Amino acid sequence: CRSKESIRCYSVFPKHYTKPIFRKEEQDELVTNEKFQAATYLSFKPACIDETSSEFYDPLVSKFINYLIKQGKKSSARYLLERAFLSIKMIQLQAYNSCDSNDKEKIELDPKVILRNAVENAKPVMELTQIKRAGQVYKVPIPIDSRRSRLLAIRWLIQAAKEKTRTDFLYDRLAHELIQAHNNQGRTIKKKQELYKQCQANKSYAHFRW
Amino acid sequence: MVVLVFSQLIAFKHVKPGGCTYNLLMRINNNLNNGCLYSTEVSKKIDANDLDANENTKMSKAMKAYLERAKAYDDFIKTEENNYNLGKLHLSNMMGVKSTNFTQIDVDKAIRYLFPSGLYDKKARPIMKHPKDIFPVKKAAQFDSTGRPYHSMFYTTKPHYYKALYDVVECMHLLDATEDKLIKNDNHILVPIDLSNSQWVNQENLEGLLVEKISTEQEYFISSIEKLCQHPLANDVKDFIMIYRKLKQSVMQNSTIPELMYDSNNRPYILVTDCMRKNARGEVLVIGQGSGKITVNGLPMVNYFKNLQEREQIIFPLHFTDMMDRVDVEARITGGGPSGQSGAIRWGIAWALRSFVDLNMIQKMKVAGLITRDWRIRERKKPGQEGARRKFTWKKR
């Protein structure tokens, strides 16, 4: 970008630039809402490198990939999650084929639905923060917003997968962890419940929040 | 300017002659007519001749000081102007052009030719301009020969700014009164104010409107006038509000869409050069009546890009406009990595597709963030730091 004085500036998009709406369904909604006319006068930022109008695009999946990244290697993070999805599919299909016909409806076969449920189940509602009062540090339970709880849920899922025995690949461990969280079991859910217990124990400090 | 607004306010829909709002407006209008009490225009300059004529009458010290200052400024500008004209004459002689035809553009050309400068910053290069363009214009006196200010808010030091604020409140009271009356008469039909096609003027323009220097006051003014906009009857004072708003340009207005060209096989095509993202540079050729073949540097797209993400990016504009199997794409690209290259091609395809689709679809593409160019670049490493922003770990000793 070149500004008026022909000096390079780095944060290139002005404040009034808004986030693009790149899904077709969302745009159709916009047209029916009659906000489309107002949009003709807005400026939009370019869509990000992982955003497409494709039906395979899922914001939660791309978020999960971003949390998996190490050293900026997005392609290998994406590969990891896709392999994990493959493993989930294999495990669930095996379970599906081996169980009775009555239980078959209960088994979820879509890996994306399993991921969504796993993250939803792992989301905490409260968190402990350290607050210093009268020279002493207290652990105070506070409510958290949806963004923070999603961050914690995804982070715990990945941590739990990494903590498991190192004999098999990370994507296999991640697949196991996701299925367990989908069924409300496993380390991640345990971690969440432990946090709740601590919050319960420290609830007498709740008034330190103000 | 403010005079105009209030005369429009007289034509206010709900105001009837004899009512209290009408009286208020008439009062403002009378004030305006009597001795331009609220005018934003710079007051007339008082000449030195007037001074001689009024020598018998009492003259304030401020006026005397002002006249001295004005005279010194005028003399200075006059000598500078003479120097400029002389310099122009010399330049026209040197360049061999008739001095009568020698314009400012010729002066700039001559200076560039005679004093070539390699300095990067344009401000640092030699210039020759009319003194009026270089020296700031001085404000004319805001008070008469007895020292009495023209403007009732002169002693606020920013009379026009405070007057504008005052007008906002005045409008607010007026709207409140009419709203009360409407509720009483039970014909409460509201037309919501539509300000989507305009935005607030920036500080520079506001300073121009008010003929005053303002800094943090701009935020306060905008937040005050925004309160006025939230009033249910705000549509009635739209003319007043629109003084401080600038019309926005829609995307269709500020870019021209090229016409389709036809090759020897009579197939329509568009060539987009200068496709860039990060360090990748290249050009994209989109050919109509195609079957969805995409080649990058002569290779099929699937062979050129190994990862799914890059392939998705290239297909994005084609999928979005449903042109996937109707056009062929040929891209030549150099430099950068796969994600930069795919981003550059994505923009090139979207830019070319504007000629193939209708206006409504172009608008949709804009909302989807396909038309905007992604001109972010890698931020440089700074000396004394580990990277662009990251600092070295700091040790006390």
Side-chain angles (χ1 to χ4, degrees), chain A residues 13 16-22 27 30 35-36 38-47, chain B residues 251 363-373:
Chain A
F13 298 113
H16 65 270
Y17 272 57
T18 43
K19 276 192 175 178
I21 300 158
F22 53 89
Q27 280 218 355
L30 201 77
K35 280 180 187 169
F36 203 65
T40 55
Y41 296 103
L42 289 174
S43 301
F44 288 89
K45 283 179 189 173
Chain B
V251 71
Q363 182 54 43
K364 281 185 176 179
M365 279 162 81
K366 187 204 159 200
V367 176
L370 285 166
I371 303 287
T372 324
R373 194 174 224 162

PDB file of all heavy atoms in Angstrom, chain A residues 13 16-22 27 30 35-36 38-47, chain B residues 251 363-373:
ATOM      1  N   PHE A  13      -5.846  -2.137   5.636  1.00  0.00           N
ATOM      2  CA  PHE A  13      -7.271  -1.914   5.428  1.00  0.00           C
ATOM      3  C   PHE A  13      -7.790  -0.917   6.450  1.00  0.00           C
ATOM      4  O   PHE A  13      -7.621  -1.122   7.647  1.00  0.00           O
ATOM      5  CB  PHE A  13      -8.025  -3.231   5.504  1.00  0.00           C
ATOM      6  CG  PHE A  13      -7.592  -4.194   4.454  1.00  0.00           C
ATOM      7  CD1 PHE A  13      -6.927  -5.357   4.776  1.00  0.00           C
ATOM      8  CD2 PHE A  13      -7.815  -3.907   3.119  1.00  0.00           C
ATOM      9  CE1 PHE A  13      -6.504  -6.219   3.796  1.00  0.00           C
ATOM     10  CE2 PHE A  13      -7.385  -4.763   2.138  1.00  0.00           C
ATOM     11  CZ  PHE A  13      -6.727  -5.931   2.474  1.00  0.00           C
ATOM     12  N   HIS A  16     -13.059   1.237   8.421  1.00  0.00           N
ATOM     13  CA  HIS A  16     -14.442   1.061   7.978  1.00  0.00           C
ATOM     14  C   HIS A  16     -14.625  -0.133   7.051  1.00  0.00           C
ATOM     15  O   HIS A  16     -15.745  -0.427   6.651  1.00  0.00           O
ATOM     16  CB  HIS A  16     -14.952   2.342   7.325  1.00  0.00           C
ATOM     17  CG  HIS A  16     -14.246   2.695   6.057  1.00  0.00           C
ATOM     18  ND1 HIS A  16     -13.125   3.488   6.038  1.00  0.00           N
ATOM     19  CD2 HIS A  16     -14.483   2.343   4.776  1.00  0.00           C
ATOM     20  CE1 HIS A  16     -12.723   3.624   4.783  1.00  0.00           C
ATOM     21  NE2 HIS A  16     -13.519   2.931   4.001  1.00  0.00           N
ATOM     22  N   TYR A  17     -13.549  -0.815   6.695  1.00  0.00           N
ATOM     23  CA  TYR A  17     -13.681  -2.029   5.885  1.00  0.00           C
ATOM     24  C   TYR A  17     -14.308  -3.136   6.735  1.00  0.00           C
ATOM     25  O   TYR A  17     -13.877  -3.385   7.852  1.00  0.00           O
ATOM     26  CB  TYR A  17     -12.314  -2.479   5.364  1.00  0.00           C
ATOM     27  CG  TYR A  17     -11.926  -1.853   4.053  1.00  0.00           C
ATOM     28  CD1 TYR A  17     -11.882  -0.478   3.928  1.00  0.00           C
ATOM     29  CD2 TYR A  17     -11.614  -2.631   2.945  1.00  0.00           C
ATOM     30  CE1 TYR A  17     -11.533   0.112   2.736  1.00  0.00           C
ATOM     31  CE2 TYR A  17     -11.260  -2.042   1.741  1.00  0.00           C
ATOM     32  CZ  TYR A  17     -11.217  -0.675   1.647  1.00  0.00           C
ATOM     33  OH  TYR A  17     -10.879  -0.099   0.458  1.00  0.00           O
ATOM     34  N   THR A  18     -15.327  -3.814   6.190  1.00  0.00           N
ATOM     35  CA  THR A  18     -16.030  -4.836   6.968  1.00  0.00           C
ATOM     36  C   THR A  18     -15.645  -6.228   6.492  1.00  0.00           C
ATOM     37  O   THR A  18     -15.078  -6.396   5.416  1.00  0.00           O
ATOM     38  CB  THR A  18     -17.549  -4.669   6.834  1.00  0.00           C
ATOM     39  OG1 THR A  18     -17.837  -4.415   5.466  1.00  0.00           O
ATOM     40  CG2 THR A  18     -18.043  -3.540   7.679  1.00  0.00           C
ATOM     41  N   LYS A  19     -15.985  -7.212   7.333  1.00  0.00           N
ATOM     42  CA  LYS A  19     -15.673  -8.597   6.985  1.00  0.00           C
ATOM     43  C   LYS A  19     -16.559  -9.064   5.837  1.00  0.00           C
ATOM     44  O   LYS A  19     -17.745  -8.755   5.811  1.00  0.00           O
ATOM     45  CB  LYS A  19     -15.897  -9.496   8.205  1.00  0.00           C
ATOM     46  CG  LYS A  19     -14.722  -9.518   9.135  1.00  0.00           C
ATOM     47  CD  LYS A  19     -14.875 -10.615  10.154  1.00  0.00           C
ATOM     48  CE  LYS A  19     -13.620 -10.701  11.006  1.00  0.00           C
ATOM     49  NZ  LYS A  19     -13.759 -11.733  12.032  1.00  0.00           N
ATOM     50  N   PRO A  20     -16.000  -9.813   4.892  1.00  0.00           N
ATOM     51  CA  PRO A  20     -16.807 -10.261   3.759  1.00  0.00           C
ATOM     52  C   PRO A  20     -17.808 -11.342   4.151  1.00  0.00           C
ATOM     53  O   PRO A  20     -17.598 -12.064   5.131  1.00  0.00           O
ATOM     54  CB  PRO A  20     -15.760 -10.824   2.796  1.00  0.00           C
ATOM     55  CG  PRO A  20     -14.639 -11.235   3.660  1.00  0.00           C
ATOM     56  CD  PRO A  20     -14.613 -10.267   4.791  1.00  0.00           C
ATOM     57  N   ILE A  21     -18.898 -11.421   3.387  1.00  0.00           N
ATOM     58  CA  ILE A  21     -19.879 -12.500   3.580  1.00  0.00           C
ATOM     59  C   ILE A  21     -19.772 -13.374   2.344  1.00  0.00           C
ATOM     60  O   ILE A  21     -20.275 -13.013   1.282  1.00  0.00           O
ATOM     61  CB  ILE A  21     -21.286 -11.912   3.746  1.00  0.00           C
ATOM     62  CG1 ILE A  21     -21.299 -10.994   4.954  1.00  0.00           C
ATOM     63  CG2 ILE A  21     -22.313 -13.009   3.907  1.00  0.00           C
ATOM     64  CD1 ILE A  21     -22.403  -9.983   4.914  1.00  0.00           C
ATOM     65  N   PHE A  22     -19.091 -14.496   2.460  1.00  0.00           N
ATOM     66  CA  PHE A  22     -18.720 -15.250   1.270  1.00  0.00           C
ATOM     67  C   PHE A  22     -19.538 -16.518   1.078  1.00  0.00           C
ATOM     68  O   PHE A  22     -19.420 -17.164   0.047  1.00  0.00           O
ATOM     69  CB  PHE A  22     -17.224 -15.583   1.313  1.00  0.00           C
ATOM     70  CG  PHE A  22     -16.802 -16.255   2.595  1.00  0.00           C
ATOM     71  CD1 PHE A  22     -16.845 -17.610   2.708  1.00  0.00           C
ATOM     72  CD2 PHE A  22     -16.411 -15.499   3.681  1.00  0.00           C
ATOM     73  CE1 PHE A  22     -16.478 -18.224   3.880  1.00  0.00           C
ATOM     74  CE2 PHE A  22     -16.046 -16.100   4.855  1.00  0.00           C
ATOM     75  CZ  PHE A  22     -16.087 -17.469   4.963  1.00  0.00           C
ATOM     76  N   GLN A  27     -25.506 -14.782   1.930  1.00  0.00           N
ATOM     77  CA  GLN A  27     -25.771 -13.666   1.022  1.00  0.00           C
ATOM     78  C   GLN A  27     -27.231 -13.621   0.615  1.00  0.00           C
ATOM     79  O   GLN A  27     -27.823 -12.548   0.531  1.00  0.00           O
ATOM     80  CB  GLN A  27     -24.903 -13.797  -0.227  1.00  0.00           C
ATOM     81  CG  GLN A  27     -23.497 -13.327   0.011  1.00  0.00           C
ATOM     82  CD  GLN A  27     -22.948 -12.590  -1.189  1.00  0.00           C
ATOM     83  OE1 GLN A  27     -23.570 -12.505  -2.236  1.00  0.00           O
ATOM     84  NE2 GLN A  27     -21.783 -12.035  -1.031  1.00  0.00           N
ATOM     85  N   LEU A  30     -29.126 -12.027   3.199  1.00  0.00           N
ATOM     86  CA  LEU A  30     -28.880 -10.587   3.184  1.00  0.00           C
ATOM     87  C   LEU A  30     -29.803  -9.896   2.188  1.00  0.00           C
ATOM     88  O   LEU A  30     -30.360  -8.839   2.464  1.00  0.00           O
ATOM     89  CB  LEU A  30     -27.417 -10.334   2.796  1.00  0.00           C
ATOM     90  CG  LEU A  30     -26.835  -9.000   3.193  1.00  0.00           C
ATOM     91  CD1 LEU A  30     -26.509  -9.008   4.660  1.00  0.00           C
ATOM     92  CD2 LEU A  30     -25.599  -8.712   2.392  1.00  0.00           C
ATOM     93  N   LYS A  35     -30.921  -5.472   3.429  1.00  0.00           N
ATOM     94  CA  LYS A  35     -29.721  -4.744   3.829  1.00  0.00           C
ATOM     95  C   LYS A  35     -28.730  -4.685   2.672  1.00  0.00           C
ATOM     96  O   LYS A  35     -27.660  -4.101   2.772  1.00  0.00           O
ATOM     97  CB  LYS A  35     -29.039  -5.427   5.017  1.00  0.00           C
ATOM     98  CG  LYS A  35     -29.696  -5.111   6.336  1.00  0.00           C
ATOM     99  CD  LYS A  35     -28.972  -5.808   7.439  1.00  0.00           C
ATOM    100  CE  LYS A  35     -29.708  -5.643   8.749  1.00  0.00           C
ATOM    101  NZ  LYS A  35     -29.173  -6.515   9.781  1.00  0.00           N
ATOM    102  N   PHE A  36     -29.101  -5.317   1.572  1.00  0.00           N
ATOM    103  CA  PHE A  36     -28.187  -5.445   0.451  1.00  0.00           C
ATOM    104  C   PHE A  36     -27.895  -4.092  -0.166  1.00  0.00           C
ATOM    105  O   PHE A  36     -26.790  -3.836  -0.613  1.00  0.00           O
ATOM    106  CB  PHE A  36     -28.786  -6.403  -0.584  1.00  0.00           C
ATOM    107  CG  PHE A  36     -27.767  -7.026  -1.475  1.00  0.00           C
ATOM    108  CD1 PHE A  36     -26.822  -7.873  -0.943  1.00  0.00           C
ATOM    109  CD2 PHE A  36     -27.752  -6.767  -2.829  1.00  0.00           C
ATOM    110  CE1 PHE A  36     -25.874  -8.465  -1.760  1.00  0.00           C
ATOM    111  CE2 PHE A  36     -26.805  -7.352  -3.646  1.00  0.00           C
ATOM    112  CZ  PHE A  36     -25.873  -8.196  -3.110  1.00  0.00           C
ATOM    113  N   ALA A  38     -27.728  -1.233   1.363  1.00  0.00           N
ATOM    114  CA  ALA A  38     -26.737  -0.552   2.205  1.00  0.00           C
ATOM    115  C   ALA A  38     -25.347  -1.118   1.945  1.00  0.00           C
ATOM    116  O   ALA A  38     -24.355  -0.402   2.015  1.00  0.00           O
ATOM    117  CB  ALA A  38     -27.102  -0.712   3.675  1.00  0.00           C
ATOM    118  N   ALA A  39     -25.291  -2.395   1.587  1.00  0.00           N
ATOM    119  CA  ALA A  39     -24.000  -3.042   1.356  1.00  0.00           C
ATOM    120  C   ALA A  39     -23.305  -2.513   0.113  1.00  0.00           C
ATOM    121  O   ALA A  39     -22.102  -2.647  -0.029  1.00  0.00           O
ATOM    122  CB  ALA A  39     -24.186  -4.542   1.241  1.00  0.00           C
ATOM    123  N   THR A  40     -24.088  -1.874  -0.806  1.00  0.00           N
ATOM    124  CA  THR A  40     -23.447  -1.358  -2.018  1.00  0.00           C
ATOM    125  C   THR A  40     -22.464  -0.242  -1.691  1.00  0.00           C
ATOM    126  O   THR A  40     -21.555   0.026  -2.439  1.00  0.00           O
ATOM    127  CB  THR A  40     -24.487  -0.819  -3.013  1.00  0.00           C
ATOM    128  OG1 THR A  40     -25.278   0.145  -2.335  1.00  0.00           O
ATOM    129  CG2 THR A  40     -25.341  -1.911  -3.564  1.00  0.00           C
ATOM    130  N   TYR A  41     -22.681   0.417  -0.535  1.00  0.00           N
ATOM    131  CA  TYR A  41     -21.812   1.540  -0.196  1.00  0.00           C
ATOM    132  C   TYR A  41     -20.714   1.147   0.784  1.00  0.00           C
ATOM    133  O   TYR A  41     -19.892   1.956   1.155  1.00  0.00           O
ATOM    134  CB  TYR A  41     -22.640   2.674   0.390  1.00  0.00           C
ATOM    135  CG  TYR A  41     -23.618   3.231  -0.613  1.00  0.00           C
ATOM    136  CD1 TYR A  41     -24.954   2.903  -0.559  1.00  0.00           C
ATOM    137  CD2 TYR A  41     -23.174   4.042  -1.639  1.00  0.00           C
ATOM    138  CE1 TYR A  41     -25.840   3.393  -1.493  1.00  0.00           C
ATOM    139  CE2 TYR A  41     -24.052   4.537  -2.579  1.00  0.00           C
ATOM    140  CZ  TYR A  41     -25.381   4.208  -2.502  1.00  0.00           C
ATOM    141  OH  TYR A  41     -26.245   4.690  -3.436  1.00  0.00           O
ATOM    142  N   LEU A  42     -20.728  -0.108   1.240  1.00  0.00           N
ATOM    143  CA  LEU A  42     -19.699  -0.545   2.188  1.00  0.00           C
ATOM    144  C   LEU A  42     -18.472  -1.039   1.433  1.00  0.00           C
ATOM    145  O   LEU A  42     -18.565  -1.471   0.290  1.00  0.00           O
ATOM    146  CB  LEU A  42     -20.234  -1.674   3.067  1.00  0.00           C
ATOM    147  CG  LEU A  42     -21.277  -1.304   4.111  1.00  0.00           C
ATOM    148  CD1 LEU A  42     -21.791  -2.564   4.766  1.00  0.00           C
ATOM    149  CD2 LEU A  42     -20.677  -0.382   5.139  1.00  0.00           C
ATOM    150  N   SER A  43     -17.331  -0.993   2.110  1.00  0.00           N
ATOM    151  CA  SER A  43     -16.126  -1.596   1.546  1.00  0.00           C
ATOM    152  C   SER A  43     -15.859  -2.896   2.289  1.00  0.00           C
ATOM    153  O   SER A  43     -16.052  -2.958   3.496  1.00  0.00           O
ATOM    154  CB  SER A  43     -14.943  -0.658   1.712  1.00  0.00           C
ATOM    155  OG  SER A  43     -15.213   0.551   1.070  1.00  0.00           O
ATOM    156  N   PHE A  44     -15.416  -3.899   1.567  1.00  0.00           N
ATOM    157  CA  PHE A  44     -15.206  -5.209   2.171  1.00  0.00           C
ATOM    158  C   PHE A  44     -13.748  -5.613   2.093  1.00  0.00           C
ATOM    159  O   PHE A  44     -13.086  -5.388   1.089  1.00  0.00           O
ATOM    160  CB  PHE A  44     -16.072  -6.253   1.471  1.00  0.00           C
ATOM    161  CG  PHE A  44     -17.524  -6.104   1.787  1.00  0.00           C
ATOM    162  CD1 PHE A  44     -18.322  -5.288   1.027  1.00  0.00           C
ATOM    163  CD2 PHE A  44     -18.080  -6.748   2.879  1.00  0.00           C
ATOM    164  CE1 PHE A  44     -19.657  -5.114   1.325  1.00  0.00           C
ATOM    165  CE2 PHE A  44     -19.406  -6.589   3.191  1.00  0.00           C
ATOM    166  CZ  PHE A  44     -20.195  -5.770   2.402  1.00  0.00           C
ATOM    167  N   LYS A  45     -13.295  -6.250   3.155  1.00  0.00           N
ATOM    168  CA  LYS A  45     -11.953  -6.829   3.133  1.00  0.00           C
ATOM    169  C   LYS A  45     -11.964  -8.040   2.207  1.00  0.00           C
ATOM    170  O   LYS A  45     -13.009  -8.643   2.008  1.00  0.00           O
ATOM    171  CB  LYS A  45     -11.581  -7.298   4.541  1.00  0.00           C
ATOM    172  CG  LYS A  45     -11.194  -6.194   5.471  1.00  0.00           C
ATOM    173  CD  LYS A  45     -10.872  -6.784   6.818  1.00  0.00           C
ATOM    174  CE  LYS A  45     -10.688  -5.697   7.837  1.00  0.00           C
ATOM    175  NZ  LYS A  45     -10.548  -6.228   9.179  1.00  0.00           N
ATOM    176  N   PRO A  46     -10.820  -8.423   1.657  1.00  0.00           N
ATOM    177  CA  PRO A  46     -10.798  -9.639   0.852  1.00  0.00           C
ATOM    178  C   PRO A  46     -11.038 -10.871   1.724  1.00  0.00           C
ATOM    179  O   PRO A  46     -10.693 -10.873   2.905  1.00  0.00           O
ATOM    180  CB  PRO A  46      -9.397  -9.646   0.260  1.00  0.00           C
ATOM    181  CG  PRO A  46      -8.606  -8.763   1.111  1.00  0.00           C
ATOM    182  CD  PRO A  46      -9.537  -7.735   1.653  1.00  0.00           C
ATOM    183  N   ALA A  47     -11.643 -11.904   1.111  1.00  0.00           N
ATOM    184  CA  ALA A  47     -11.865 -13.145   1.846  1.00  0.00           C
ATOM    185  C   ALA A  47     -10.518 -13.781   2.186  1.00  0.00           C
ATOM    186  O   ALA A  47      -9.558 -13.673   1.420  1.00  0.00           O
ATOM    187  CB  ALA A  47     -12.698 -14.100   1.005  1.00  0.00           C
TER     188      ALA A  47
ATOM    189  N   VAL B 251     -19.351   0.654  -5.461  1.00  0.00           N
ATOM    190  CA  VAL B 251     -18.239   0.029  -6.170  1.00  0.00           C
ATOM    191  C   VAL B 251     -18.369   0.183  -7.683  1.00  0.00           C
ATOM    192  O   VAL B 251     -17.398   0.246  -8.407  1.00  0.00           O
ATOM    193  CB  VAL B 251     -18.104  -1.444  -5.760  1.00  0.00           C
ATOM    194  CG1 VAL B 251     -19.227  -2.276  -6.319  1.00  0.00           C
ATOM    195  CG2 VAL B 251     -16.786  -2.005  -6.204  1.00  0.00           C
ATOM    196  N   GLN B 363     -21.902  -7.087  -7.595  1.00  0.00           N
ATOM    197  CA  GLN B 363     -22.146  -6.579  -6.250  1.00  0.00           C
ATOM    198  C   GLN B 363     -21.990  -7.703  -5.220  1.00  0.00           C
ATOM    199  O   GLN B 363     -21.378  -7.542  -4.170  1.00  0.00           O
ATOM    200  CB  GLN B 363     -23.550  -5.975  -6.209  1.00  0.00           C
ATOM    201  CG  GLN B 363     -23.939  -5.374  -4.895  1.00  0.00           C
ATOM    202  CD  GLN B 363     -22.927  -4.353  -4.422  1.00  0.00           C
ATOM    203  OE1 GLN B 363     -22.450  -3.543  -5.199  1.00  0.00           O
ATOM    204  NE2 GLN B 363     -22.570  -4.402  -3.153  1.00  0.00           N
ATOM    205  N   LYS B 364     -22.523  -8.877  -5.581  1.00  0.00           N
ATOM    206  CA  LYS B 364     -22.406 -10.031  -4.679  1.00  0.00           C
ATOM    207  C   LYS B 364     -20.945 -10.436  -4.498  1.00  0.00           C
ATOM    208  O   LYS B 364     -20.515 -10.785  -3.402  1.00  0.00           O
ATOM    209  CB  LYS B 364     -23.203 -11.219  -5.235  1.00  0.00           C
ATOM    210  CG  LYS B 364     -24.683 -11.124  -4.994  1.00  0.00           C
ATOM    211  CD  LYS B 364     -25.359 -12.377  -5.473  1.00  0.00           C
ATOM    212  CE  LYS B 364     -26.836 -12.361  -5.162  1.00  0.00           C
ATOM    213  NZ  LYS B 364     -27.485 -13.583  -5.652  1.00  0.00           N
ATOM    214  N   MET B 365     -20.202 -10.394  -5.605  1.00  0.00           N
ATOM    215  CA  MET B 365     -18.776 -10.749  -5.517  1.00  0.00           C
ATOM    216  C   MET B 365     -18.033  -9.778  -4.613  1.00  0.00           C
ATOM    217  O   MET B 365     -17.128 -10.159  -3.879  1.00  0.00           O
ATOM    218  CB  MET B 365     -18.134 -10.732  -6.913  1.00  0.00           C
ATOM    219  CG  MET B 365     -18.389 -11.985  -7.721  1.00  0.00           C
ATOM    220  SD  MET B 365     -18.075 -11.703  -9.444  1.00  0.00           S
ATOM    221  CE  MET B 365     -16.315 -11.863  -9.496  1.00  0.00           C
ATOM    222  N   LYS B 366     -18.451  -8.541  -4.673  1.00  0.00           N
ATOM    223  CA  LYS B 366     -17.814  -7.530  -3.822  1.00  0.00           C
ATOM    224  C   LYS B 366     -18.083  -7.830  -2.355  1.00  0.00           C
ATOM    225  O   LYS B 366     -17.184  -7.770  -1.518  1.00  0.00           O
ATOM    226  CB  LYS B 366     -18.341  -6.156  -4.206  1.00  0.00           C
ATOM    227  CG  LYS B 366     -17.629  -5.023  -3.506  1.00  0.00           C
ATOM    228  CD  LYS B 366     -18.508  -3.809  -3.433  1.00  0.00           C
ATOM    229  CE  LYS B 366     -18.055  -2.884  -2.340  1.00  0.00           C
ATOM    230  NZ  LYS B 366     -19.097  -1.966  -1.928  1.00  0.00           N
ATOM    231  N   VAL B 367     -19.355  -8.162  -2.052  1.00  0.00           N
ATOM    232  CA  VAL B 367     -19.720  -8.488  -0.665  1.00  0.00           C
ATOM    233  C   VAL B 367     -18.955  -9.719  -0.195  1.00  0.00           C
ATOM    234  O   VAL B 367     -18.588  -9.845   0.971  1.00  0.00           O
ATOM    235  CB  VAL B 367     -21.249  -8.688  -0.541  1.00  0.00           C
ATOM    236  CG1 VAL B 367     -21.625  -9.123   0.853  1.00  0.00           C
ATOM    237  CG2 VAL B 367     -21.968  -7.412  -0.885  1.00  0.00           C
ATOM    238  N   ALA B 368     -18.682 -10.650  -1.143  1.00  0.00           N
ATOM    239  CA  ALA B 368     -17.955 -11.866  -0.790  1.00  0.00           C
ATOM    240  C   ALA B 368     -16.458 -11.625  -0.615  1.00  0.00           C
ATOM    241  O   ALA B 368     -15.715 -12.539  -0.274  1.00  0.00           O
ATOM    242  CB  ALA B 368     -18.180 -12.932  -1.851  1.00  0.00           C
ATOM    243  N   GLY B 369     -16.002 -10.397  -0.895  1.00  0.00           N
ATOM    244  CA  GLY B 369     -14.595 -10.080  -0.700  1.00  0.00           C
ATOM    245  C   GLY B 369     -13.694 -10.635  -1.799  1.00  0.00           C
ATOM    246  O   GLY B 369     -12.535 -10.937  -1.577  1.00  0.00           O
ATOM    247  N   LEU B 370     -14.268 -10.765  -3.017  1.00  0.00           N
ATOM    248  CA  LEU B 370     -13.457 -11.291  -4.126  1.00  0.00           C
ATOM    249  C   LEU B 370     -12.825 -10.168  -4.945  1.00  0.00           C
ATOM    250  O   LEU B 370     -11.776 -10.341  -5.550  1.00  0.00           O
ATOM    251  CB  LEU B 370     -14.334 -12.155  -5.039  1.00  0.00           C
ATOM    252  CG  LEU B 370     -14.685 -13.529  -4.506  1.00  0.00           C
ATOM    253  CD1 LEU B 370     -15.803 -14.142  -5.319  1.00  0.00           C
ATOM    254  CD2 LEU B 370     -13.475 -14.436  -4.537  1.00  0.00           C
ATOM    255  N   ILE B 371     -13.508  -9.014  -4.972  1.00  0.00           N
ATOM    256  CA  ILE B 371     -13.053  -7.914  -5.828  1.00  0.00           C
ATOM    257  C   ILE B 371     -11.912  -7.140  -5.159  1.00  0.00           C
ATOM    258  O   ILE B 371     -11.029  -6.631  -5.828  1.00  0.00           O
ATOM    259  CB  ILE B 371     -14.232  -6.966  -6.137  1.00  0.00           C
ATOM    260  CG1 ILE B 371     -15.377  -7.742  -6.790  1.00  0.00           C
ATOM    261  CG2 ILE B 371     -13.808  -5.814  -6.981  1.00  0.00           C
ATOM    262  CD1 ILE B 371     -15.143  -8.163  -8.196  1.00  0.00           C
ATOM    263  N   THR B 372     -11.960  -7.055  -3.828  1.00  0.00           N
ATOM    264  CA  THR B 372     -10.940  -6.285  -3.124  1.00  0.00           C
ATOM    265  C   THR B 372      -9.594  -6.974  -3.257  1.00  0.00           C
ATOM    266  O   THR B 372      -9.488  -8.185  -3.114  1.00  0.00           O
ATOM    267  CB  THR B 372     -11.281  -6.170  -1.632  1.00  0.00           C
ATOM    268  OG1 THR B 372     -12.672  -6.054  -1.483  1.00  0.00           O
ATOM    269  CG2 THR B 372     -10.577  -4.994  -1.022  1.00  0.00           C
ATOM    270  N   ARG B 373      -8.584  -6.173  -3.522  1.00  0.00           N
ATOM    271  CA  ARG B 373      -7.254  -6.749  -3.654  1.00  0.00           C
ATOM    272  C   ARG B 373      -6.617  -6.894  -2.277  1.00  0.00           C
ATOM    273  O   ARG B 373      -6.749  -5.990  -1.446  1.00  0.00           O
ATOM    274  CB  ARG B 373      -6.408  -5.815  -4.511  1.00  0.00           C
ATOM    275  CG  ARG B 373      -5.145  -6.433  -4.985  1.00  0.00           C
ATOM    276  CD  ARG B 373      -4.461  -5.485  -5.923  1.00  0.00           C
ATOM    277  NE  ARG B 373      -3.979  -6.203  -7.075  1.00  0.00           N
ATOM    278  CZ  ARG B 373      -3.647  -5.630  -8.206  1.00  0.00           C
ATOM    279  NH1 ARG B 373      -3.796  -4.359  -8.367  1.00  0.00           N
ATOM    280  NH2 ARG B 373      -3.175  -6.340  -9.195  1.00  0.00           N
TER     281      ARG B 373
END
